[in-house]
Amino acid sequence: MAILSENWITEGRIDFELKKYVLLAYEQHVKSQFRERKLFPELKEAQKHHQNCITLHKQRYGLKSALPKDLISFDLQQMKAIFGEIYRDSPEMLEIDDILMFSIPVLSGIVEEGQELKNEAYTQLNFGPVGILPLRTDEGYLFLYRMISRETSVYEYRITLFAGQKERLIRTRLIDTLYKNHSTTFENLKVNLTRKYTHLPNPAAYVVESRMEYPVEEALLPLAKELMLRKLNYT
């Protein structure tokens, strides 16, 4: 598996051809995952690498423009001073420039493809409550139903605060996987869960139905969590 570390550009030997090979291997791996509809964690990691490269590029040229320069001449027609660079870039910095110029569009392409697949997947999902909702909806049950296979993954969920009380996070625990026939309703499943797990006597319950088959851990569950937070106005 091709994985990029957070400091992949600067760690080890700084060589454009080497880093180009590493990035292209990573691109090939991520796109193979996308072809299997596995969006996570690859999409978020690609977004992080893309943003890191953009930030490094901005910092690099922001620092360069702030360095002192020599006055070498004066343009009388435009009444403008002309300055020359005092500091010369090291070979390593020039290699980093080349790496960044190559990497940013490659990573941008990966992110765009992944985001398109993610947006397409959202169109295949239906979200809704199961039965009557209690006043507290920060914990309960989440049903992931794949319409083609008729399989339902049943999760206990809890919504918590994350990252310094600024972001909501859904934690889930798989408690059952079952085949749902036409006579079984999600309301029935909710009642059965309430009887079996008495620590949630009046739970909230939601269902996410998928019209297409997606890998559960690498796509469907993360998408369902994002959709749930959005629908419940937690984002």
Side-chain angles (χ1 to χ4, degrees), residues 105-151:
V106 171
L107 290 167
S108 178
I110 295 173
V111 170
E112 288 177 8
E113 180 177 339
Q115 193 61 51
E116 287 178 5
L117 293 171
K118 181 180 177 181
N119 293 339
E120 178 184 326
Y122 270 131
T123 67
Q124 303 298 318
L125 303 181
N126 297 322
F127 173 85
V130 177
I132 299 174
L133 293 175
L135 293 177
R136 285 190 58 188
T137 60
D138 57 347
E139 62 180 354
Y141 299 108
L142 171 65
F143 302 102
L144 295 187
Y145 176 53
R146 280 92 76 198
M147 294 181 177
I148 295 176
S149 65
R150 295 186 183 176
E151 284 189 347

Side-chain angles (χ1 to χ4, degrees), residues 3-140:
I3 299 176
L4 287 185
S5 69
E6 186 173 354
N7 302 312
W8 70 277
I9 291 179
T10 55
E11 68 183 10
R13 183 159 56 94
I14 300 177
D15 176 80
F16 171 72
E17 291 298 330
L18 173 62
K19 302 299 182 179
K20 176 181 176 181
Y21 173 81
V22 169
L23 182 62
L24 292 178
Y26 171 74
E27 179 189 33
Q28 185 178 27
H29 162 71
V30 173
K31 291 193 173 185
S32 70
Q33 296 294 97
F34 286 169
R35 285 192 294 271
E36 297 177 11
R37 297 177 181 164
K38 296 178 180 179
L39 302 178
F40 297 89
E42 278 72 18
L43 176 55
K44 286 189 175 182
E45 290 179 353
Q47 290 171 329
K48 180 183 67 176
H49 289 308
H50 181 237
Q51 187 56 53
N52 285 346
C53 284
I54 291 175
T55 300
L56 184 58
H57 183 267
K58 289 181 178 179
Q59 291 175 344
R60 160 87 170 112
Y61 282 93
L63 178 62
K64 189 173 182 179
S65 63
L67 292 174
K69 299 175 176 59
D70 273 338
L71 176 63
I72 57 176
S73 65
F74 197 86
D75 188 331
L76 295 176
Q77 292 184 339
Q78 299 186 24
M79 299 298 293
K80 182 176 67 174
I82 300 175
F83 294 91
E85 300 286 346
I86 296 177
Y87 298 99
R88 298 295 179 185
D89 288 321
S90 66
E92 289 80 10
M93 291 307 301
L94 294 175
E95 288 289 304
I96 289 177
D97 287 343
D98 290 341
I99 294 166
L100 289 173
M101 292 301 292
F102 178 80
S103 300
I104 290 174
V106 171
L107 290 167
S108 178
I110 295 173
V111 170
E112 288 177 8
E113 180 177 339
Q115 193 61 51
E116 287 178 5
L117 293 171
K118 181 180 177 181
N119 293 339
E120 178 184 326
Y122 270 131
T123 67
Q124 303 298 318
L125 303 181
N126 297 322
F127 173 85
V130 177
I132 299 174
L133 293 175
L135 293 177
R136 285 190 58 188
T137 60
D138 57 347
E139 62 180 354

